[in-house]
Amino acid sequence: MAVREAPVDLPGLQPSRGQPFGIYVHVPFCITRCGYCDFNTYTPAELGGVNPDGWLQALHTELQLAAARLDAPTVNTVFVGGGTPSLLGGERLATLLNMLREHFVLAPDAEITTEANPESTWPEFFDAIRAAGYTRVSLGMQSVAPRVLATLDRVHSPGRSAAAAREAMAAGFEHVSLDLIYGTPGESDDDVARSVDAALDSGVDHVSAYALVVEDGTALARRVRQGELSAPDDDVLAHRYELLDAQLSGAGMTWYEVSNWSRPGGECRHNLGYWDGGQWWGAGPGAHGYVGTTRWWNVKHPNTYAEMLAPGTQATLPVAGFEQLDADTLHTEDVLLKIRLRQGLPLTSLGEAERERAETVVAEGLLEPAGDRLVLTARGRLLADAVVRTLLG
């Protein structure tokens, strides 16, 4: 697998026919930095130059360059993530979507998602983005327990996430998701149960739930290192996952990926593209893309990004590096990602030795056959990474 790590131009790109194609847009702006977050985001104090309008202008240039590099793929999904896309406001998000339509062909049934933080949304915001053509909203809830929100440095009130979800649905959004985090130091089983209840009571059709990970370089990591907070315990995380799964399943939501549950039709098609072999263009500072057998990543800082795409310059794609994925890497990622899906991993994806190892995993109760596929059991979902390691040998 060849890796290039300097600002470079991409090799020829040819999307694979018959696979879904998406566009991911990274919005790098946040008002404050949550203590657990290691995403490529910047607060106003950390930005010396570019503002949302300058970023949007640079993004427009990148999308124009991207369209010129691709053979006019039909875009099935769009995902605007971050960061805090809702900080852009409804008018800028509408402009962003119009820029995509200017340079790409969006499928008539395209799923168009934006993430949003509850504290930067209001009814008129949801009305505006729904009218612009967005079809799905993903809101960060994390928890309804005040002490958990405080530990995570979340600034919204405990009830604001569910209220924002209801506002989105009142604006006409059929697909609304709430994201939860479990395993925060000081959290109790009851905190988790109440958070799930609040998400379900809001009426959303999708819930994501992620175990807290202490990432190096974050404020949370420093607090754990200094002994102020305890690190998440693996057994506790497994127990909380089981609680979440039982509660969501009991309310009629079905898991379709290890960390995601939905009602019928509520699955996030864009994320399914990541897990099931789809391809996408990643636009914006630090965004990653994957087309053909090429994966690349953009320069991280918004100021550098804007400089590379500035008007009056010989604009170039803001690529920091890329890698060409060989057959072994593609196979590893195929197993790693597809095993996480409820639809399971096709047996045809495994070689003879891997199928023999799969029989051992089935005997251990971590996988179960489902026709010509292998699907994680409830216990297997807790040990998905170990299952992959065993299969690959």
Side-chain angles (χ1 to χ4, degrees):
M1 180 172 61
V3 178
R4 295 283 299 275
E5 286 284 0
V8 290
D9 196 13
L10 292 174
L13 299 174
Q14 181 61 53
S16 300
R17 298 297 181 185
Q19 291 183 323
F21 189 86
I23 294 178
Y24 171 77
V25 177
H26 187 73
V27 180
F29 307 111
C30 281
I31 291 296
T32 60
R33 184 178 299 282
C34 299
Y36 61 92
C37 179
D38 73 336
F39 293 167
N40 188 47
T41 62
Y42 301 82
T43 64
E46 296 169 329
L47 288 171
V50 70
N51 57 29
D53 290 320
W55 166 84
L56 199 59
Q57 184 179 56
L59 177 71
H60 186 252
T61 302
E62 184 188 359
L63 293 174
Q64 184 177 15
L65 293 172
R69 294 299 300 273
L70 298 170
D71 185 18
T74 298
V75 176
N76 306 106
T77 64
V78 173
F79 196 104
V80 183
T84 311
S86 47
L87 286 177
L88 297 176
E91 184 175 347
R92 287 195 191 95
L93 282 172
T95 298
L96 188 162
L97 188 51
N98 286 333
M99 292 188 322
L100 285 167
R101 292 190 180 109
E102 177 185 350
H103 295 295
F104 293 90
V105 176
L106 273 59
D109 65 342
E111 176 194 83
I112 304 171
T113 303
T114 185
E115 292 182 332
N117 273 4
E119 70 275 11
S120 57
T121 62
W122 55 96
E124 292 78 10
F125 167 81
F126 291 118
D127 287 339
I129 63 172
R130 185 69 190 95
Y134 287 82
T135 66
R136 192 173 180 278
V137 173
S138 180
L139 290 155
M141 183 180 202
Q142 320 320 342
S143 176
V144 297
R147 65 175 177 271
V148 173
L149 293 174
T151 300
L152 296 174
D153 296 319
R154 298 290 291 184
V155 298
H156 61 80
S157 63
R160 176 57 200 153
S161 300
R166 294 187 183 97
E167 291 169 1
M169 288 181 283
F173 282 94
E174 295 181 11
H175 303 303
V176 181
S177 177
L178 286 169
D179 292 354
L180 300 174
I181 289 179
Y182 60 94
T184 301
E187 175 191 76
S188 68
D189 286 355
D190 185 60
D191 291 333
V192 173
R194 289 190 297 108
S195 298
V196 176
D197 278 340
L200 291 168
D201 289 346
S202 73
V204 298
D205 67 342
H206 189 284
V207 172
S208 300
Y210 303 103
L212 180 66
V213 177
V214 180
E215 301 285 3
D216 291 341
T218 62
L220 180 64
R222 290 191 294 272
R223 296 177 71 185
V224 170
R225 187 170 58 250
Q226 294 165 0
E228 181 183 344
L229 296 172
S230 59
D233 179 86
D234 287 344
D235 290 337
V236 171
L237 292 175
H239 174 62
R240 297 272 161 76
Y241 180 89
E242 291 173 333
L243 291 178
L244 282 156
D245 182 51
Q247 201 169 347
L248 291 166
S249 299
M253 284 202 173
T254 302
W255 77 278
Y256 70 95
E257 191 274 340
V258 169
S259 298
N260 291 273
W261 293 257
S262 76
R263 301 194 187 282
E267 300 86 352
C268 179
R269 288 165 48 200
H270 185 85
N271 287 342
L272 277 171
Y274 293 150
W275 298 313
D276 200 26
Q279 298 179 76
W280 68 95
W281 189 280
H288 285 59
Y290 169 57
V291 174
T293 60
T294 303
R295 178 188 290 124
W296 73 93
W297 44 95
N298 281 351
V299 294
K300 284 191 170 184
H301 202 284
N303 293 339
T304 307
Y305 174 80
E307 289 167 3
M308 295 179 71
L309 296 161
T313 65
Q314 186 64 42
T316 60
L317 285 172
V319 175
F322 70 88
E323 57 187 351
Q324 297 292 135
L325 306 184
D326 57 27
D328 288 342
T329 303
L330 289 169
H331 174 69
T332 295
E333 295 193 357
D334 192 51
V335 174
L336 177 69
L337 295 172
K338 288 184 178 178
I339 199 68
R340 296 180 62 86
L341 295 172
R342 185 179 181 86
Q343 68 192 40
L345 176 70
L347 283 168
T348 53
S349 297
L350 299 177
E352 183 177 350
E354 292 168 336
R355 292 191 192 193
E356 292 177 0
R357 289 192 288 270
E359 293 177 2
T360 301
V361 183
V362 169
E364 292 172 348
L366 302 180
L367 284 175
E368 57 187 2
D372 60 353
R373 294 174 177 261
L374 294 171
V375 178
L376 290 169
T377 64
R379 182 166 164 263
R381 280 186 271 158
L382 299 174
L383 300 167
D385 290 344
V387 169
V388 171
R389 288 193 296 270
T390 300
L391 290 177
L392 295 176

